Amino acid sequence: IQGTVLKREKVLLQTRLAQAIAARELQVFYQPVVDARSGRIVGLEALARWHDDLEGWVPPDVFIPLAEHLGLIHDLGEQVFDHALERLKAWRREGNSVTAAVNLSRVQLFAPNFQERLLDKLKSYGLRPQDLVLEITESVALLDVSYESKRLHELAAAGFSLAIDDFGTGYSGLAQLHAMPIDTLKVDASFTARLNTEDGRRIVQAIVQMAHALKLETIVEGVEDEDDARYLISLGVTQIQGHHFGEPMPAGVIDMLLAKQAAQMA
Ligand code: C2E
Ligand code: MG
Ligand code: MG
């Protein structure tokens, strides 16, 4: 009986998600990516948010897979791009050079015409591929290598900046990483969470050294305190993301932070 109830609840949640996407009710929050030394905001990662009347805030780890399953990830992804590009256009207008990072799911990456549609969209906002970072999780990026698809190479050739998200949770080998047209590794927060142990510190150090050897930027995610930040800086990490520097926030709050930062630099 419990299984049936769960199943019915899941169907109802799916229905409400479909309605929310159709009504364009999903929100997008932005989390600062900061320069490790100066603390200056250099990028903003767009993170989808869904507030359901019955469930409250439903985490993306729940609704993104649901949207994929329902075939609605294209709509959802399109809305996230629209939101992010609209904001980015406004930040550019203010003279700010921050980039915006958008997460891509597997289905989006491998959809026909994905690149053409994104390029058209960028043009309609008066932005360039160089303004965007596309985040692709390690496991999805590996599919591109193993199926000899040229998706990532096409995107890189068009000028997009590519970042491997959740790095360290997949199984890419050095040769594969080297062959990927990527600029950045985003070290998964599960590694940051273990920086309080000697083993944890050694693993992060090894990842950062490998990234340097491959001439890749590293962004370490999930940085929650000053000690971790200081240790990462000592390793030569250039960019950091995490609650210590800023949680994902509504666009209006980011607008204020960017304005404050611009005033301080003037
Ligand atoms: P992600 O891209 O790796 O995003 C980073 C996640 O870490 C975010 O979770 C963020 O809120 C969380 N985080 C940030 N700072 C800290 C910290 O200091 N400590 C800890 N413990 N966590 C921190 P969120 O927003 O729940 O998103 C989860 C995942 O859902 C994302 O992981 C991403 O893979 C996916 N996602 C979110 N929005 C989208 C979207 O628009 N499209 C797609 N395809 N996936 C998305
Ligand atoms: Mg991400
Ligand atoms: Mg991640």
Side-chain angles (χ1 to χ4, degrees):
I1 293 193
Q2 210 185 3
T4 326
V5 172
L6 283 177
K7 201 167 167 197
R8 190 183 310 139
E9 275 177 9
K10 194 172 170 192
V11 170
L12 290 174
L13 190 69
Q14 288 181 352
T15 309
R16 295 201 300 277
L17 176 62
Q19 285 164 349
I21 293 173
R24 299 181 77 90
E25 281 167 6
L26 263 54
Q27 303 175 45
V28 180
F29 278 21
Y30 296 87
Q31 184 175 35
V33 176
V34 305
D35 177 89
R37 285 175 185 279
S38 65
R40 210 165 54 85
I41 300 174
V42 292
L44 290 149
E45 178 175 2
L47 293 159
R49 291 289 180 265
W50 176 35
H51 189 272
D52 174 57
D53 287 342
L54 297 178
E55 294 286 324
W57 292 101
V58 181
D61 294 328
V62 172
F63 72 77
I64 296 285
L66 273 188
E68 287 175 345
H69 174 72
L70 294 169
L72 295 173
I73 193 71
H74 298 289
D75 282 354
L76 186 155
E78 182 114 4
Q79 290 176 28
V80 172
F81 271 116
D82 277 325
H83 200 282
L85 296 179
E86 186 68 48
R87 292 327 303 160
L88 189 57
K89 188 175 154 185
W91 297 329
R92 283 282 181 281
R93 223 170 20 225
E94 307 284 321
N96 209 309
S97 60
V98 285
T99 55
V102 176
N103 294 285
L104 288 187
S105 70
R106 186 182 59 79
V107 196
Q108 285 173 284
L109 180 66
F110 294 109
N113 304 325
F114 169 73
Q115 177 170 315
E116 290 81 353
R117 297 214 325 268
L118 185 53
L119 287 171
D120 283 348
K121 198 182 267 304
L122 275 166
K123 209 177 281 170
S124 72
Y125 284 94
L127 294 165
R128 306 161 311 148
Q130 285 76 9
D131 298 318
L132 269 188
V133 178
L134 302 178
E135 295 195 2
I136 297 142
T137 57
E138 188 179 11
S139 50
V140 170
L142 274 177
L143 287 177
D144 195 73
V145 174
S146 49
Y147 288 136
E148 289 172 30
S149 142
K150 298 189 217 79
R151 277 303 153 114
L152 297 181
H153 282 93
E154 286 165 7
L155 288 167
F160 292 99
S161 203
L162 304 178
I164 300 294
D165 207 348
D166 302 345
F167 182 75
T169 62
Y171 297 93
S172 30
L174 276 178
Q176 290 169 321
L177 265 184
H178 191 55
M180 284 181 195
I182 51 174
D183 312 279
T184 306
L185 294 184
K186 296 194 76 170
V187 180
D188 192 66
S190 58
F191 295 99
T192 319
R194 293 200 296 257
L195 279 178
N196 56 346
T197 69
E198 183 59 29
D199 271 357
R201 285 192 291 274
R202 288 220 185 96
I203 292 174
V204 171
Q205 183 177 18
I207 295 177
V208 172
Q209 283 172 351
M210 183 200 65
H212 282 173
L214 294 173
K215 299 199 167 58
L216 299 172
E217 290 274 347
T218 38
I219 299 180
V220 176
E221 293 193 89
V223 178
E224 295 180 352
D225 62 58
E226 184 69 42
D227 285 349
D228 289 350
R230 228 174 297 185
Y231 176 70
L232 292 168
I233 290 170
S234 80
L235 293 183
V237 170
T238 46
Q239 295 183 13
I240 292 187
Q241 196 177 346
H243 293 165
H244 181 62
F245 298 94
E247 297 185 9
M249 294 170 262
V253 181
I254 298 290
D255 292 349
M256 289 192 320
L257 286 179
L258 289 178
K260 202 165 111 192
Q261 178 169 295
Q264 276 165 0
M265 293 203 316

